Amino acid sequence: MKVSEVSQEDEEIDLWQELWRLRWQAFGSGTVDRAAMDQLARRAAASEHHEVAKLARNLLNAGAKVNYNTRFEWLTSVVGGQRFPPVQIDVAGPEGWDGNGAASGKMMDKGDSWDGDLYARICSGIPHIQQHREIPDCSLVASLINVRQRAASALRVRHIGATYVVNLHFNGSDCRLVRVDLSYVPRDSQGSILALHSHKIEDVVLERAYLLVKNGGSYKLSGSNAAIDTYLLTGYIPEIRHVRNDAMKRITTLLKGGMCIIALGTAEKVNDRNLKSSHDYATIEIHSNGNLVVRDPLDASRKLEIDECTLLTNFKFMYFNWNPRLLFAHHQTLHFRYTTDPMNNFPTVIDKPLFEIFNKSEQSESVWVFLEQHFDRTLNDQSICLVQQVPDSVLLVSNRFDGSNSGFYLLKVEISSKNCIKLFCHSEVSANYSLHFYHISALISCKKATVRALVASVDDEWNSANYYGAFSNPEFYKNPTFELVVESNSKDHVYVDLQLLGMSTSLLNLQIYHMDDYDLTKPIVFDESYTEGIYIRKSLPIVPNARYKVICSSYHQSDTNRFKLLATTSSKNSKVKLSKCFPQYGSHKYQLARNFSWRKETNRVKIPFGLVATTFLHIRVLALEFQGEMFIRINIFDDDTQELLLHNEDFCILPRHGLVIPDFSGMGGRHLTLLIEKDGPPTMFNSVPMRLEIGSDFKVVLNG
């Protein structure tokens, strides 16, 4: 090679590497270096590398218009340390990234140099694509057999220089670029080339690309299925169904319709000696007698005829891959990150990713919703994921879902005219996901939904400062408390559903009161029962725009004390609001408490106190033990003038959670005395410990 040719080649490589750097900077980092892009375009044009010059100018225009989806697809390009960017093979160029993280296409398992003549001799006696017996990728080879027969144009492979580039469908993109280098190919135990057998070198390239993505180039695969692998090759929507009694009729109908590709998977045990257990087969045609004709990926020379009895007794799965271009006119995609903390902390859909589909057309429309988990080799292959419609009662949902462990889930919904449905996604692992929406009408729109449109929600925990046990505890009112308001123009009652969720099996309860029910004697609907892990109150009558308080309690304190409170209403044009509040001391800044006891010879206790400044007082007197109904009265007088500032002549029952005097106005600088009296003989209730609690905006000094 001449020196000028070498320098030209080096120049081209440098240009492509600079283009890739700027691509990543623009789409991945969100930084548009316009000067560098313009310089690259000029430099490429000057050296007559017109393709790079054109792409650099296009990048200059596109870089400033990067949306969330595009950036997400670029940021999720890395799988197992290698980058697979969302770039069409037509604009890939001969060179990818260099240095660390380069998408070089080198295999993890090293081997000898490619021997085309040897490979041709190996494949000479094999009529079709055939699986290599030392590579456990029957699902991929079955997929290739099907795709070559029914959708060959969907395969995207291009030979550029010394490498091949392939577009595969994964991680939310239909054009993940995989660069394959066939310079070195591992050998099998017999010294032969370790690759599937085919008369098309592109099939070998596709297998190598598949191994790079699925397992970093290693041949030690953990298993897959034909639905997943056909999607990876073509983007055809995967659907997995169990073989049922109507399987033969369904398969023959669909094969004749030509809308999908079909493969079959055998059960863990098979009765037919011609079939292999836990193995995928390509379904290639229907015999004139009505039976299915399948091909074993391990033996390209033999077709197997499958009658209905053989199908039902030996096969477990039907793998359908639907052609979206024939079935639908529109495809929308939304990407998101699923994190199990907090999304799986509580058995509710509220913390999960939520989505809305709007049908603005004049007729009912069908939408297929396809959930795709992004590749992550650290994930458990058996992890469950799903997408489902949000139920009418968003509160009545658990975290035990019947989903798919394949990393995909397909939901088919029908949406009536001018209507909207809401969906939620669930996953057992933290992972990136893409949600695909396929539909015919252009009047279908999809977007992420907000929690506020469904329900009011707050998270909190019981700790040493706010755990005060069950309703029977005199200090129950000190448990976490939340203000509830339903904003509405309605003049009638609205009905609210409340749900309290715990992260453990603790027994839970909630009570709701008017905000000014300081003694907690008039609950809206009283229920003293406690239920394990979840407590639900439905159809509570609420006055619109009135203030209520919800007290959340746990019967026992556990190691996991976090909880979630949810509130929702079915009333139209009403909005539920929840917020943390602290009414225990009247929401005042200063909080003072003193224990006291009754004297044997008298029914009264005097507690002198002074006020630093004029302030409102929130006074509570309570018995710390319950020994029967106690009747008390409270009066307050000025020590200097003997003026009675709070006058009560009658005794009243001391409520379980204390008798409260709210908003008592005290003037600063005065010396006052709180007189607490009980009814009955002096010796009655002498052993009951008592407490005085005072909340105020300025400091209160207790004397004596």
Side-chain angles (χ1 to χ4, degrees), residues 653-671:
I653 293 177
L654 179 63
R656 179 184 300 192
H657 305 114
L659 179 64
V660 175
I661 301 169
D663 299 327
F664 173 77
S665 179
M667 186 176 295
R670 302 180 75 173
H671 299 283

PDB file of all heavy atoms in Angstrom, residues 653-671:
ATOM      1  N   ILE A 653     -67.035  14.627  81.374  1.00  0.00           N
ATOM      2  CA  ILE A 653     -66.222  13.413  81.266  1.00  0.00           C
ATOM      3  C   ILE A 653     -64.870  13.756  80.642  1.00  0.00           C
ATOM      4  O   ILE A 653     -64.794  14.488  79.650  1.00  0.00           O
ATOM      5  CB  ILE A 653     -66.938  12.348  80.411  1.00  0.00           C
ATOM      6  CG1 ILE A 653     -68.192  11.850  81.123  1.00  0.00           C
ATOM      7  CG2 ILE A 653     -66.011  11.174  80.114  1.00  0.00           C
ATOM      8  CD1 ILE A 653     -68.990  10.851  80.311  1.00  0.00           C
ATOM      9  N   LEU A 654     -63.823  13.238  81.250  1.00  0.00           N
ATOM     10  CA  LEU A 654     -62.490  13.404  80.675  1.00  0.00           C
ATOM     11  C   LEU A 654     -62.341  12.417  79.515  1.00  0.00           C
ATOM     12  O   LEU A 654     -62.331  11.199  79.723  1.00  0.00           O
ATOM     13  CB  LEU A 654     -61.415  13.135  81.729  1.00  0.00           C
ATOM     14  CG  LEU A 654     -59.963  13.239  81.260  1.00  0.00           C
ATOM     15  CD1 LEU A 654     -59.641  14.667  80.805  1.00  0.00           C
ATOM     16  CD2 LEU A 654     -58.999  12.802  82.356  1.00  0.00           C
ATOM     17  N   PRO A 655     -62.261  12.899  78.261  1.00  0.00           N
ATOM     18  CA  PRO A 655     -62.145  11.981  77.115  1.00  0.00           C
ATOM     19  C   PRO A 655     -60.881  11.127  77.210  1.00  0.00           C
ATOM     20  O   PRO A 655     -59.916  11.474  77.898  1.00  0.00           O
ATOM     21  CB  PRO A 655     -62.091  12.923  75.913  1.00  0.00           C
ATOM     22  CG  PRO A 655     -62.723  14.190  76.388  1.00  0.00           C
ATOM     23  CD  PRO A 655     -62.341  14.300  77.837  1.00  0.00           C
ATOM     24  N   ARG A 656     -60.905  10.024  76.511  1.00  0.00           N
ATOM     25  CA  ARG A 656     -59.782   9.089  76.543  1.00  0.00           C
ATOM     26  C   ARG A 656     -58.473   9.776  76.183  1.00  0.00           C
ATOM     27  O   ARG A 656     -57.419   9.463  76.741  1.00  0.00           O
ATOM     28  CB  ARG A 656     -60.040   7.933  75.569  1.00  0.00           C
ATOM     29  CG  ARG A 656     -58.912   6.919  75.529  1.00  0.00           C
ATOM     30  CD  ARG A 656     -59.149   5.840  74.495  1.00  0.00           C
ATOM     31  NE  ARG A 656     -60.369   5.092  74.761  1.00  0.00           N
ATOM     32  CZ  ARG A 656     -60.694   3.954  74.138  1.00  0.00           C
ATOM     33  NH1 ARG A 656     -59.878   3.452  73.227  1.00  0.00           N
ATOM     34  NH2 ARG A 656     -61.824   3.338  74.408  1.00  0.00           N
ATOM     35  N   HIS A 657     -58.528  10.718  75.231  1.00  0.00           N
ATOM     36  CA  HIS A 657     -57.303  11.368  74.755  1.00  0.00           C
ATOM     37  C   HIS A 657     -57.170  12.794  75.269  1.00  0.00           C
ATOM     38  O   HIS A 657     -56.444  13.602  74.690  1.00  0.00           O
ATOM     39  CB  HIS A 657     -57.268  11.338  73.227  1.00  0.00           C
ATOM     40  CG  HIS A 657     -57.407   9.952  72.682  1.00  0.00           C
ATOM     41  ND1 HIS A 657     -58.505   9.554  71.953  1.00  0.00           N
ATOM     42  CD2 HIS A 657     -56.626   8.854  72.820  1.00  0.00           C
ATOM     43  CE1 HIS A 657     -58.378   8.283  71.633  1.00  0.00           C
ATOM     44  NE2 HIS A 657     -57.249   7.834  72.145  1.00  0.00           N
ATOM     45  N   GLY A 658     -57.866  13.082  76.373  1.00  0.00           N
ATOM     46  CA  GLY A 658     -57.683  14.360  77.038  1.00  0.00           C
ATOM     47  C   GLY A 658     -58.778  15.367  76.744  1.00  0.00           C
ATOM     48  O   GLY A 658     -59.456  15.304  75.718  1.00  0.00           O
ATOM     49  N   LEU A 659     -58.938  16.296  77.684  1.00  0.00           N
ATOM     50  CA  LEU A 659     -59.857  17.414  77.518  1.00  0.00           C
ATOM     51  C   LEU A 659     -59.041  18.617  77.063  1.00  0.00           C
ATOM     52  O   LEU A 659     -58.046  18.979  77.688  1.00  0.00           O
ATOM     53  CB  LEU A 659     -60.564  17.722  78.839  1.00  0.00           C
ATOM     54  CG  LEU A 659     -61.539  18.893  78.830  1.00  0.00           C
ATOM     55  CD1 LEU A 659     -62.710  18.628  77.892  1.00  0.00           C
ATOM     56  CD2 LEU A 659     -62.042  19.179  80.245  1.00  0.00           C
ATOM     57  N   VAL A 660     -59.467  19.242  75.961  1.00  0.00           N
ATOM     58  CA  VAL A 660     -58.674  20.303  75.341  1.00  0.00           C
ATOM     59  C   VAL A 660     -59.395  21.636  75.451  1.00  0.00           C
ATOM     60  O   VAL A 660     -60.605  21.737  75.216  1.00  0.00           O
ATOM     61  CB  VAL A 660     -58.393  19.981  73.861  1.00  0.00           C
ATOM     62  CG1 VAL A 660     -57.658  21.149  73.186  1.00  0.00           C
ATOM     63  CG2 VAL A 660     -57.565  18.707  73.749  1.00  0.00           C
ATOM     64  N   ILE A 661     -58.620  22.661  75.825  1.00  0.00           N
ATOM     65  CA  ILE A 661     -59.086  24.050  75.784  1.00  0.00           C
ATOM     66  C   ILE A 661     -58.284  24.731  74.681  1.00  0.00           C
ATOM     67  O   ILE A 661     -57.096  25.024  74.851  1.00  0.00           O
ATOM     68  CB  ILE A 661     -58.853  24.762  77.128  1.00  0.00           C
ATOM     69  CG1 ILE A 661     -59.588  24.018  78.240  1.00  0.00           C
ATOM     70  CG2 ILE A 661     -59.295  26.218  77.047  1.00  0.00           C
ATOM     71  CD1 ILE A 661     -59.206  24.478  79.624  1.00  0.00           C
ATOM     72  N   PRO A 662     -58.892  24.944  73.511  1.00  0.00           N
ATOM     73  CA  PRO A 662     -58.146  25.545  72.404  1.00  0.00           C
ATOM     74  C   PRO A 662     -58.220  27.069  72.445  1.00  0.00           C
ATOM     75  O   PRO A 662     -59.194  27.661  72.918  1.00  0.00           O
ATOM     76  CB  PRO A 662     -58.869  24.997  71.176  1.00  0.00           C
ATOM     77  CG  PRO A 662     -60.293  24.859  71.627  1.00  0.00           C
ATOM     78  CD  PRO A 662     -60.245  24.507  73.101  1.00  0.00           C
ATOM     79  N   ASP A 663     -57.190  27.697  71.968  1.00  0.00           N
ATOM     80  CA  ASP A 663     -57.190  29.144  71.717  1.00  0.00           C
ATOM     81  C   ASP A 663     -57.550  29.979  72.945  1.00  0.00           C
ATOM     82  O   ASP A 663     -58.316  30.946  72.868  1.00  0.00           O
ATOM     83  CB  ASP A 663     -58.158  29.475  70.568  1.00  0.00           C
ATOM     84  CG  ASP A 663     -57.762  28.791  69.280  1.00  0.00           C
ATOM     85  OD1 ASP A 663     -56.551  28.616  69.055  1.00  0.00           O
ATOM     86  OD2 ASP A 663     -58.662  28.403  68.501  1.00  0.00           O
ATOM     87  N   PHE A 664     -57.011  29.599  74.102  1.00  0.00           N
ATOM     88  CA  PHE A 664     -57.180  30.453  75.278  1.00  0.00           C
ATOM     89  C   PHE A 664     -56.210  31.623  75.163  1.00  0.00           C
ATOM     90  O   PHE A 664     -55.000  31.438  74.989  1.00  0.00           O
ATOM     91  CB  PHE A 664     -56.908  29.672  76.560  1.00  0.00           C
ATOM     92  CG  PHE A 664     -56.897  30.534  77.793  1.00  0.00           C
ATOM     93  CD1 PHE A 664     -58.083  30.970  78.356  1.00  0.00           C
ATOM     94  CD2 PHE A 664     -55.695  30.930  78.370  1.00  0.00           C
ATOM     95  CE1 PHE A 664     -58.074  31.781  79.485  1.00  0.00           C
ATOM     96  CE2 PHE A 664     -55.678  31.737  79.494  1.00  0.00           C
ATOM     97  CZ  PHE A 664     -56.875  32.165  80.052  1.00  0.00           C
ATOM     98  N   SER A 665     -56.721  32.841  75.256  1.00  0.00           N
ATOM     99  CA  SER A 665     -55.899  34.035  75.080  1.00  0.00           C
ATOM    100  C   SER A 665     -55.358  34.499  76.427  1.00  0.00           C
ATOM    101  O   SER A 665     -56.125  34.810  77.351  1.00  0.00           O
ATOM    102  CB  SER A 665     -56.727  35.156  74.439  1.00  0.00           C
ATOM    103  OG  SER A 665     -55.951  36.318  74.293  1.00  0.00           O
ATOM    104  N   GLY A 666     -54.030  34.518  76.549  1.00  0.00           N
ATOM    105  CA  GLY A 666     -53.395  34.965  77.779  1.00  0.00           C
ATOM    106  C   GLY A 666     -52.544  36.197  77.544  1.00  0.00           C
ATOM    107  O   GLY A 666     -51.802  36.265  76.559  1.00  0.00           O
ATOM    108  N   MET A 667     -52.645  37.174  78.455  1.00  0.00           N
ATOM    109  CA  MET A 667     -51.912  38.426  78.296  1.00  0.00           C
ATOM    110  C   MET A 667     -50.516  38.300  78.892  1.00  0.00           C
ATOM    111  O   MET A 667     -50.345  37.754  79.987  1.00  0.00           O
ATOM    112  CB  MET A 667     -52.672  39.566  78.974  1.00  0.00           C
ATOM    113  CG  MET A 667     -52.059  40.950  78.737  1.00  0.00           C
ATOM    114  SD  MET A 667     -53.060  42.267  79.476  1.00  0.00           S
ATOM    115  CE  MET A 667     -54.548  42.122  78.477  1.00  0.00           C
ATOM    116  N   GLY A 668     -49.543  38.812  78.199  1.00  0.00           N
ATOM    117  CA  GLY A 668     -48.168  38.730  78.649  1.00  0.00           C
ATOM    118  C   GLY A 668     -47.934  39.474  79.953  1.00  0.00           C
ATOM    119  O   GLY A 668     -48.542  40.521  80.213  1.00  0.00           O
ATOM    120  N   GLY A 669     -47.063  38.931  80.808  1.00  0.00           N
ATOM    121  CA  GLY A 669     -46.714  39.560  82.072  1.00  0.00           C
ATOM    122  C   GLY A 669     -47.624  39.199  83.227  1.00  0.00           C
ATOM    123  O   GLY A 669     -47.342  39.559  84.374  1.00  0.00           O
ATOM    124  N   ARG A 670     -48.709  38.500  82.992  1.00  0.00           N
ATOM    125  CA  ARG A 670     -49.641  38.143  84.063  1.00  0.00           C
ATOM    126  C   ARG A 670     -49.247  36.803  84.672  1.00  0.00           C
ATOM    127  O   ARG A 670     -48.676  35.935  84.013  1.00  0.00           O
ATOM    128  CB  ARG A 670     -51.067  38.087  83.534  1.00  0.00           C
ATOM    129  CG  ARG A 670     -51.537  39.387  82.915  1.00  0.00           C
ATOM    130  CD  ARG A 670     -52.958  39.308  82.407  1.00  0.00           C
ATOM    131  NE  ARG A 670     -53.944  39.330  83.489  1.00  0.00           N
ATOM    132  CZ  ARG A 670     -55.269  39.399  83.292  1.00  0.00           C
ATOM    133  NH1 ARG A 670     -55.740  39.442  82.047  1.00  0.00           N
ATOM    134  NH2 ARG A 670     -56.103  39.416  84.305  1.00  0.00           N
ATOM    135  N   HIS A 671     -49.589  36.635  85.948  1.00  0.00           N
ATOM    136  CA  HIS A 671     -49.363  35.383  86.660  1.00  0.00           C
ATOM    137  C   HIS A 671     -50.709  34.701  86.837  1.00  0.00           C
ATOM    138  O   HIS A 671     -51.618  35.244  87.485  1.00  0.00           O
ATOM    139  CB  HIS A 671     -48.705  35.649  88.020  1.00  0.00           C
ATOM    140  CG  HIS A 671     -47.372  36.311  87.909  1.00  0.00           C
ATOM    141  ND1 HIS A 671     -46.229  35.641  87.562  1.00  0.00           N
ATOM    142  CD2 HIS A 671     -47.003  37.623  88.073  1.00  0.00           C
ATOM    143  CE1 HIS A 671     -45.212  36.469  87.529  1.00  0.00           C
ATOM    144  NE2 HIS A 671     -45.656  37.695  87.836  1.00  0.00           N
TER     145      HIS A 671
END
